[in-house]
């Protein structure tokens, strides 16, 4: 122990050695603590900075993995059911509808990204009904499809409002040389020509009157009107009892092989694709040659010469709407736009969409609109037709009394006609003739004239206006590959 003293009221303080050591130890501990805290300060600042960044960008951090997951799912779906095993030769799994599959190799034209994703898909399209997911198109089981046959007509003739159609024609129309149907179009100032005949408004009105025998225009007015088909192809077309047909004029679209059919349909159904010489040249340049039997794959290729219209869209309406004129002995016909691949069994489709519901015509509802007047505005807005020609058509329909109703006879008024399934009866043939005449008289946008003809022919009630998801199940949609070349003769 040490002591220290001060004079003059000095205070004596005694400090032991043990207290000195204890004080030293406390100072050392305090120094170490300050040193430790000094090292932790940057780490605390880093933690606080990370916390501030998380608070500021937490939404982005949550969204990023979700976006990555969505992109992964989309790419997985795109790879799923292409059913293509080789880039050059597609090995398409074609169900024989008996529980097994066989591989058929079909060389397909080169497709874009969208086409590549959809081509040869056979997966069913479904929708939710009453909380239960169901297929949009309910075909019969495979075993029953193999035994389907075209039934004999059992309908009594006394219940048929129209029994016979007489088509207006003029076999004595003089031929002026060159492309006479184009010349007549220019001289009479309309799109009527030697193929259509010059339908007057009086003839139009008389044609809508329902009676046992109806006289009306329905194309093929003059032998010089164009749409020329070889005798060999005509003979083949006259043998068809049920037909699936498409067309590509002006080289606009490629040819997509039908898939999903039964062996029975392969034997009983005609698959016919109408081409003009422009499409023929375009397809041959891609290596798609017509065989000696007239086939490419399952399609019988029919070459049409001397098309009657400059507008290729109008030329396409002939095989689309006048199948009964081209296939005079066919009881049933299915139309498929060239931008689509038909992917279901034809006999099964006829059974599901016509026979099962006792319908004679099946066509898809429009997916976006219900009113023809709203559709007219959309056609102009999307530059699908000129405002002037649409106004002429809608004005005429308004004067004729076409209501703005969105439903006729309980069915949606507006349609989408990329797939048409029908029984070829005098009444349905009459409907298609009038529909064709309307697209010739007014615009080529056939969804504008369909509601009008449906409204005028009120006796045609057994129509199956199937939902959009059914149409998506019937075909794989490819979209148009390229713009069709117009005729310039």
């Amino acid at each position: 122990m040490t002591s220290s003293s001060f004079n003059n009221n000095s205070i004596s303080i005694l400090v032991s050695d043990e207290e000195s050591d204890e004080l030293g130890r406390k100072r050392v501990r305090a120094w170490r603590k300050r040193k430790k805290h000094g090292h932790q300060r940057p780490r605390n600042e880093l933690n606080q900075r990370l916390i501030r960044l998380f608070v500021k960008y937490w939404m982005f951090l949550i969204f990023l993995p979700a976006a990555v997951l969505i992109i992964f799912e989309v790419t997985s779906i795109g790879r799923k059911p292409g059913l293509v095993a080789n880039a050059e030769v597609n090995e398409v799994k074609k169900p024989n509808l008996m529980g097994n599959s066989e591989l058929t190799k079909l060389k397909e034209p080169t497709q874009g990204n969208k086409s590549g994703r959809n081509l040869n898909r056979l997966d069913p399209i479904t929708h939710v009904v009453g909380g239960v997911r169901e297929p949009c198109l309910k075909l019969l089981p495979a075993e029953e499809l193999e035994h389907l046959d075209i039934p004999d007509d059992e309908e009594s003739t006394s219940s048929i409002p129209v029994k016979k159609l007489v088509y207006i024609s003029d076999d004595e129309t003089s031929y002026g040389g060159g492309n006479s149907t184009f010349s007549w179009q220019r001289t009479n100032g309309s799109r009527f020509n030697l193929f259509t005949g010059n339908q007057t408004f009086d003839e139009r009105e008389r044609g809508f009157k329902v009676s046992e025998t109806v006289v009306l225009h329905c194309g093929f007015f003059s032998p010089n009107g164009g749409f020329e088909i070889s005798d060999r192809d005509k003979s083949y077309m006259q043998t068809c009892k049920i037909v699936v047909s498409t067309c590509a004029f002006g080289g606009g679209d490629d040819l997509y092989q039908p898939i999903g059919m039964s062996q029975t349909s392969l034997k009983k159904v005609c698959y016919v694709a109408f081409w003009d010489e422009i499409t023929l040249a375009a397809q041959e340049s891609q290596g798609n040659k017509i065989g000696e039997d007239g086939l490419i794959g399952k399609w019988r290729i029919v070459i049409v010469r001397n098309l009657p219209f400059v507008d290729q869209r109008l030329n396409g309406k002939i095989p689309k709407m006048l199948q009964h004129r081209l296939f005079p002995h066919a009881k049933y016909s299915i139309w498929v736009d060239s931008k689509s691949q038909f992917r279901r069994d034809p006999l099964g489709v006829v059974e599901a969409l016509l026979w099962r519901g006792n319908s004679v015509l099946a066509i898809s509802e429009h997916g976006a609109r219900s009113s023809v007047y709203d559709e007219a505005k959309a056609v102009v807005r999307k530059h699908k037709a000129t405002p002037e020609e649409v106004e002429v058509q809608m004005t005429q329909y308004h004067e004729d009394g076409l209501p703005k109703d969105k439903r006729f006879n309980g069915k949606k008024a507006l349609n989408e006609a990329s797939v048409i399934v029908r029984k070829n009866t005098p009444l349905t043939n009459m409907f298609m003739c009038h529909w064709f005449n309307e697209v010739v008289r007014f615009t080529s946008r056939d969804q504008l004239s369909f509601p009008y003809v449906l409204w005028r022919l009120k006796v045609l009630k057994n129509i199956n206006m199937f939902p959009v998801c059914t149409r998506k199940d019937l075909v794989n949609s490819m979209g148009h590959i390229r713009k069709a070349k117009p005729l310039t003769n």
Side-chain angles (χ1 to χ4, degrees):
M1 178 181 295
T2 60
S3 64
S4 61
S5 59
F6 296 88
N7 295 325
N8 301 327
N9 300 323
S10 62
I11 299 174
S12 177
I13 301 175
L14 300 179
V15 179
S16 68
D17 292 337
E18 293 179 356
E19 289 176 346
S20 178
D21 292 341
E22 181 65 22
L23 183 60
R25 282 194 296 269
K26 289 181 177 179
R27 288 175 178 173
V28 170
R29 284 197 298 269
W31 177 80
R32 287 177 177 173
K33 191 173 182 180
R34 286 195 301 270
K35 184 177 179 181
K36 183 178 180 181
H37 288 173
H39 283 294
Q40 287 180 342
R41 187 174 303 151
R43 190 178 302 171
N44 291 338
E45 291 178 357
L46 178 61
N47 291 338
Q48 292 175 1
R49 188 175 301 171
L50 290 175
I51 292 173
R52 286 196 298 269
L53 289 174
F54 178 78
V55 171
K56 186 175 182 179
Y57 296 107
W58 67 273
M59 293 184 64
F60 175 76
L61 294 174
I62 294 175
F63 173 75
L64 181 61
V68 172
L69 181 61
I70 291 173
I71 293 173
F72 173 78
E73 289 295 333
V74 170
T75 55
S76 299
I77 292 172
R79 293 192 301 266
K80 266 183 186 176
L83 300 178
V84 178
N86 187 287
E88 294 181 358
V89 178
N90 293 339
E91 291 188 348
V92 183
K93 270 193 173 183
K94 186 190 70 175
N96 62 10
L97 302 180
M98 294 296 290
N100 298 320
S101 298
E102 60 181 2
L103 291 178
T104 58
K105 293 185 177 182
L106 300 173
K107 184 176 180 182
E108 298 287 354
T110 303
Q111 307 299 335
N113 291 333
K114 180 179 178 181
S115 303
R117 290 195 302 269
N118 289 339
L119 186 65
N120 296 327
R121 291 182 59 166
L122 281 168
D123 52 310
I125 305 299
T126 61
H127 62 163
V128 177
V129 179
V132 179
R133 184 163 293 278
E134 296 180 350
C136 295
L137 178 64
K138 296 180 180 179
L139 295 179
L140 292 175
E143 296 80 5
E144 295 185 41
L145 287 178
E146 288 292 356
H147 295 91
L148 273 181
D149 201 356
I150 302 174
D152 295 329
D153 292 331
E154 299 178 355
E155 187 176 7
S156 172
T157 56
S158 60
S159 63
I160 300 175
V162 178
K163 297 179 181 178
K164 182 181 179 182
L165 297 181
V166 176
Y167 303 122
I168 298 175
S169 64
D170 184 2
D171 294 335
E172 298 179 358
T173 303
S174 60
Y175 179 61
N179 193 326
S180 58
T181 189
F182 285 169
S183 302
W184 195 17
Q185 272 185 272
R186 296 189 184 99
T187 56
N188 71 4
S190 74
R191 299 196 295 187
F192 290 124
N193 54 32
L194 292 180
F195 179 81
T196 63
N198 190 17
Q199 183 198 47
T200 65
F201 269 100
D202 287 340
E203 290 173 331
R204 176 176 179 259
E205 285 301 309
R206 286 197 297 269
F208 277 115
K209 293 180 179 179
V210 175
S211 60
E212 288 191 3
T213 301
V214 177
V215 180
L216 76 170
H217 285 81
C218 197
F220 300 94
F221 175 77
S222 168
N224 299 319
F227 210 85
E228 299 169 1
I229 297 173
S230 71
D231 291 338
R232 179 192 178 195
D233 288 331
K234 285 182 180 179
S235 297
Y236 170 78
M237 292 159 62
Q238 289 177 357
T239 66
C240 298
K241 301 299 182 184
I242 178 170
V243 59
V244 177
S245 63
T246 187
C247 81
F249 294 145
D253 288 314
D254 290 332
L255 184 67
Y256 304 106
Q257 293 297 328
I259 57 176
M261 70 289 291
S262 65
Q263 293 300 316
T264 299
S265 285
L266 280 175
K267 297 175 184 177
K268 296 183 178 181
V269 177
C270 297
Y271 291 91
V272 178
F274 294 92
W275 284 0
D276 64 351
E277 293 169 294
I278 300 175
T279 300
L280 176 63
Q283 292 298 311
E284 286 183 341
S285 68
Q286 296 182 8
N288 298 314
K289 305 286 186 179
I290 302 175
E292 293 183 0
D293 54 1
L295 300 176
I296 295 181
K298 296 178 179 65
W299 289 107
R300 172 68 179 245
I301 308 299
V302 174
I303 304 301
V304 182
R305 292 175 170 82
N306 190 18
L307 290 172
F309 300 103
V310 175
D311 186 348
Q312 293 285 22
R313 294 171 301 175
L314 272 181
N315 289 322
K317 305 303 179 186
I318 298 172
K320 180 176 184 176
M321 299 176 176
L322 305 184
Q323 287 171 307
H324 57 286
R325 303 293 319 259
L326 295 166
F327 303 94
H329 302 298
K331 291 186 176 181
Y332 296 92
S333 58
I334 300 174
W335 166 260
V336 182
D337 272 4
S338 60
K339 64 183 179 183
S340 302
Q341 178 189 35
F342 192 63
R343 66 181 204 141
R344 292 293 178 238
D345 179 65
L347 283 170
V349 169
V350 171
E351 188 280 331
L353 300 182
L354 296 184
W355 301 343
R356 198 178 300 175
N358 196 29
S359 300
V360 293
L361 176 65
I363 193 168
S364 172
E365 295 178 340
H366 199 284
R369 286 168 291 279
S370 299
S371 168
V372 64
Y373 293 99
D374 292 340
E375 179 66 13
K377 296 174 184 177
V379 166
V380 173
R381 186 172 61 252
K382 295 179 180 180
H383 306 289
K384 301 293 185 181
T386 66
E388 292 78 14
E389 61 182 348
V390 172
E391 182 180 3
V392 168
Q393 185 172 10
M394 291 298 101
T395 299
Q396 182 63 53
Y397 288 174
H398 180 70
E399 291 178 356
D400 291 345
L402 178 66
K404 295 183 179 181
D405 298 351
K406 297 184 177 182
R407 304 188 76 84
F408 295 149
N409 296 326
K411 305 179 187 298
K412 194 172 183 178
L414 206 60
N415 78 299
E416 199 282 332
S418 60
V419 180
I420 304 172
V421 184
R422 67 181 177 112
K423 182 180 182 181
N424 297 331
T425 69
L427 186 56
T428 58
N429 295 344
M430 177 184 177
F431 181 96
M432 302 304 282
C433 290
H434 280 300
W435 194 10
F436 175 75
N437 292 334
E438 291 297 297
V439 298
V440 174
R441 178 177 293 277
F442 297 110
T443 70
S444 303
R445 309 305 300 178
D446 53 42
Q447 65 267 37
L448 295 181
S449 46
F450 179 89
Y452 176 80
V453 179
L454 182 63
W455 171 69
R456 291 294 303 265
L457 292 180
K458 296 179 175 61
V459 294
L460 185 59
K461 296 180 180 180
N462 46 346
I463 297 179
N464 180 359
M465 295 283 285
F466 53 81
V468 174
C469 78
T470 301
R471 169 171 55 83
K472 291 182 178 180
D473 194 274
L474 290 168
V475 297
N476 290 322
S477 181
M478 307 296 162
H480 293 297
I481 301 300
R482 62 190 73 86
K483 189 173 181 180
K485 295 180 181 179
L487 297 180
T488 57
N489 292 42

